[in-house]
């Protein structure tokens, strides 16, 4: 250690032979550029001879690669978006989900999500599938929503042929053995128990608000399997559903980071003329019901005092979600509604600090900043191909439920009022920023490509969406909000609901000019 210190001291002071030579002979001679003995005297700013020219990703504000779509003879659409990089994300999206279960046992889509990437005609087990993907650095996932089922794989682009073959086998040739179905029953049962025990009420409230808004139809049907149906779902029930909805004309094979021609060749090889495990490729009795918005209320009385993540107890809260019908993502008003949702913003009171967390949104300025007892106020916008739902979720102490509901109804009424140009521009900028930031991720691009092509057979590129967002005017936001306020509300309530106003009072508040609840008088308190 001492030797190192002495050497460092000599260098700093310029002492020793090096220091004396510098004083005697002046500054040292210029060092020649060199990258080794093989290439002497070549500056670092010049390319080395014989080395291939590197290819770099370029950014010029526009996407260089258009989304290309090809429809095969059997009706299956193949969509791709090229992207710089070694890896790709490829998957199959299907027009299938809980909204199509009116004629079947509720919960089939939930079961299929858990059964995905299990044994198939070519692969004896899930482990064999994962080992095959591992050779290409791949991972797999399956997600179901109310209207879409998505099977996806991310892997090295060189393994595209293997990946598409595997996806085709997983979607069209699942074995659905008795052992796998029994394991899935246990997984579904566990997920339902976890849903009811978890401290975050948002998934359960989302389920309840859809049930209230679309009573017993389409997107109002249960997304999770009801407990009474767990034992009833078997291979025959699953095959009956798959026969109707897993048909080529309801599918899109989407890929990001792949060459379109190569993806089409793989689709023709593995997805054209293939006989599925359930025997038929022609759909029968397809449910084409259009969502019917009904409005209404769904209440779940529950003791929330024991909900805690650890030794620090979480305060007992009552959670309320109020929603109104908006529009589908196919309509022109979808963009103004998205801007309105961003303008409302909000979040939890304990995460209010720091830039970029929605501190200037209406639910922060008008609700969380003014009412210290409000624990949460967040806006959500759920949109589907034939309807939409704009909601506000709020949480507070059970003793202040009535006041909390009135604050929410007042915020809804204010949506139909004047829109400040500064807050509108801020909301539009935040929406564009969120859109572009999310689309930096390859899996998000994949989902965007797949969902848009599944719904519209084409894709709007990000710069087109940004142009539509920039065109939103204050009058557009006021117009869509005013139209929304003419509908019946949907209400979901969870927790201690002793002081919850009646549905009729909430509806009256949303029909008034100021959003106030009708006064109630009690003889005894």
């Amino acid at each position: 250690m001492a030797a190192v210190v002495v050497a460092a001291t000599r260098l700093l002071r310029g002492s020793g032979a090096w220091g004396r030579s510098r004083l005697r002979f002046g500054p040292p001679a210029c060092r020649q550029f060199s990258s080794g003995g093989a290439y002497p005297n070549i500056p670092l700013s010049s390319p080395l001879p014989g080395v291939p020219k590197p290819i770099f990703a370029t950014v010029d504000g526009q996407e260089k690669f258009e989304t290309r779509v090809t429809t095969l003879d059997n009706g299956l659409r193949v969509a791709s978006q090229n992207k710089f990089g070694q890896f790709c994300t490829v998957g199959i999206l299907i027009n299938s989900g809980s909204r199509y279960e009116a004629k079947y046992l509720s919960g089939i889509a939930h079961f299929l999500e858990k059964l995905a990437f299990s044994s198939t005609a070519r692969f004896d087990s899930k482990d064999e599938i994962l080992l095959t993907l591992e050779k290409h650095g791949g991972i797999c996932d399956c997600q179901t929503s109310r209207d879409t089922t998505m099977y996806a794989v991310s892997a090295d682009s060189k393994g595209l042929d293997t990946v598409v073959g595997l996806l085709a086998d997983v979607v069209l040739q699942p074995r659905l053995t008795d052992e796998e179905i029994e394991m899935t029953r246990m997984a579904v049962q566990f997920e339902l128990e976890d849903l009811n025990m978890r401290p975050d009420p948002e998934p359960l409230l989302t389920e309840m608000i859809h049930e209230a808004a679309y009573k017993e139809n389409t997107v109002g049907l249960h997304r999770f399997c009801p407990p009474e149906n767990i034992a009833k779902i078997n291979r025959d029930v699953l095959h009956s559903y798959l026969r109707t909805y897993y048909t080529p004309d309801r599918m899109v094979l989407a890929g990001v980071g792949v060459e379109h021609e190569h993806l089409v060749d793989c689709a023709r090889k593995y997805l054209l003329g293939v006989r599925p495990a359930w025997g038929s490729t022609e759909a029968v009795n397809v449910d084409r019901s259009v969502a019917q918005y009904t409005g209404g209320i769904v209440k779940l009385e529950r003791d929330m005092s024991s909900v805690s993540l650890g030794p620090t107890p979480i305060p007992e809260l009552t959670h309320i979600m109020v929603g109104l019908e908006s529009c589908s993502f196919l309509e022109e008003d979808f963009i103004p509604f998205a801007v309105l949702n961003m303008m409302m913003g909000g979040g939890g009171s304990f995460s209010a600090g720091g830039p970029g967390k929605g501190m200037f949104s209406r639910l922060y300025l008008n609700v969380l900043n003014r009412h210290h007892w409000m624990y949460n106020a967040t806006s959500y916008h759920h949109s589907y191909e034939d309807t939409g739902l704009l909601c506000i979720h709020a949480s507070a102490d059970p003793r202040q439920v009535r006041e909390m509901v009135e604050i929410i109804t007042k915020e809804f009424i204010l949506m139909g009022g004047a829109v400040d140009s500064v807050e509108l521009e801020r909301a539009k900028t935040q929406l564009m920023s969120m859109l572009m930031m999310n689309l930096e991720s390859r899996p998000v691009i994949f989902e965007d490509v797949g969902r848009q092509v599944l719904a519209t057979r084409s894709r709007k590129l990000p710069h087109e969406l940004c142009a539509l967002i920039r065109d939103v005017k204050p009058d557009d936001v006021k117009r869509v909000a005013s139209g929304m306020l003419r509908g019946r509300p949907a209400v979901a309530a969870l927790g201690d609901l002793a002081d919850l106003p009646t549905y009729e009072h909430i509806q009256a508040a949303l029909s008034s000019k100021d959003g106030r609840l009708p006064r109630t008088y009690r003889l005894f308190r």
Side-chain angles (χ1 to χ4, degrees), residues 12-246:
L12 290 170
R13 291 179 178 175
S15 61
W18 184 85
R20 289 194 297 272
S21 65
R22 181 175 179 181
L23 291 171
R24 186 179 302 167
F25 300 108
C30 293
R31 182 181 176 185
Q32 291 185 330
F33 291 106
S34 175
S35 57
Y39 302 105
N41 302 327
I42 297 178
L44 294 176
S45 57
S46 302
L48 298 174
V51 176
K53 186 179 180 181
I55 302 174
F56 299 102
T58 58
V59 178
D60 59 0
Q62 302 288 336
E63 290 197 30
K64 283 291 185 184
F65 307 106
E66 297 288 330
T67 301
R68 299 178 60 185
V69 182
T70 299
T71 304
L72 302 186
D73 295 339
N74 60 357
L76 184 137
R77 283 153 282 172
V78 182
S80 73
Q81 175 85 31
N82 215 333
K83 180 175 171 62
F84 185 82
Q86 180 183 352
F87 281 77
C88 65
T89 298
V90 182
I92 296 176
L93 292 92
I94 308 164
N95 256 335
S96 158
S98 58
R99 71 170 294 165
Y100 300 106
E101 292 175 355
K103 300 177 183 177
Y104 297 88
L105 286 172
S106 181
I108 291 177
H110 192 187
F111 259 71
L112 290 173
E113 179 185 45
K114 302 301 176 189
L115 283 164
F117 295 97
S118 297
S119 64
T120 68
R122 283 173 49 209
F123 300 96
D124 292 332
S125 67
K126 188 167 191 171
D127 289 340
E128 194 172 329
I129 290 175
L130 295 178
L131 286 171
T132 303
L133 289 175
E134 200 174 274
K135 294 175 184 176
H136 302 283
I139 55 173
C140 61
D141 185 30
C142 176
Q143 295 179 7
T144 60
S145 62
R146 298 180 188 279
D147 56 356
T148 308
T149 301
M150 180 175 67
Y151 298 80
V153 171
S154 289
D156 193 302
S157 301
K158 295 176 183 176
L160 180 62
D161 189 274
T162 303
V163 166
V164 175
L166 186 148
L167 282 166
D169 220 43
V170 165
V171 173
L172 299 175
Q173 304 287 337
R175 287 184 181 175
L176 304 179
T177 64
D178 293 339
E179 183 183 359
E180 289 170 348
I181 291 175
E182 189 58 39
M183 291 291 291
T184 300
R185 289 193 180 112
M186 294 170 61
V188 169
Q189 181 69 44
F190 175 81
E191 188 167 348
L192 292 178
E193 292 174 4
D194 177 66
L195 183 69
N196 289 316
M197 292 170 58
R198 63 196 303 176
D200 176 21
E202 196 268 328
L204 185 57
L205 277 171
T206 301
E207 188 78 2
M208 292 167 64
I209 197 73
H210 279 83
E211 186 182 344
Y214 306 93
K215 188 176 181 180
E216 298 178 356
N217 77 89
T218 57
V219 293
L221 300 176
H222 293 287
R223 193 170 78 85
F224 298 101
C225 181
E228 63 271 15
N229 287 352
I230 293 176
K232 298 178 184 177
I233 295 177
N234 54 34
R235 187 191 297 109
D236 292 337
V237 172
L238 294 171
H239 274 181
S240 174
Y241 180 86
L242 292 167
R243 190 176 297 114
T244 303
Y245 293 105
Y246 275 45

Side-chain angles (χ1 to χ4, degrees), residues 438-449:
N438 286 337
L439 288 175
E440 288 181 6
S441 168
R442 189 181 61 252
V444 176
I445 300 174
F446 155 76
E447 188 172 348
D448 182 51
V449 169

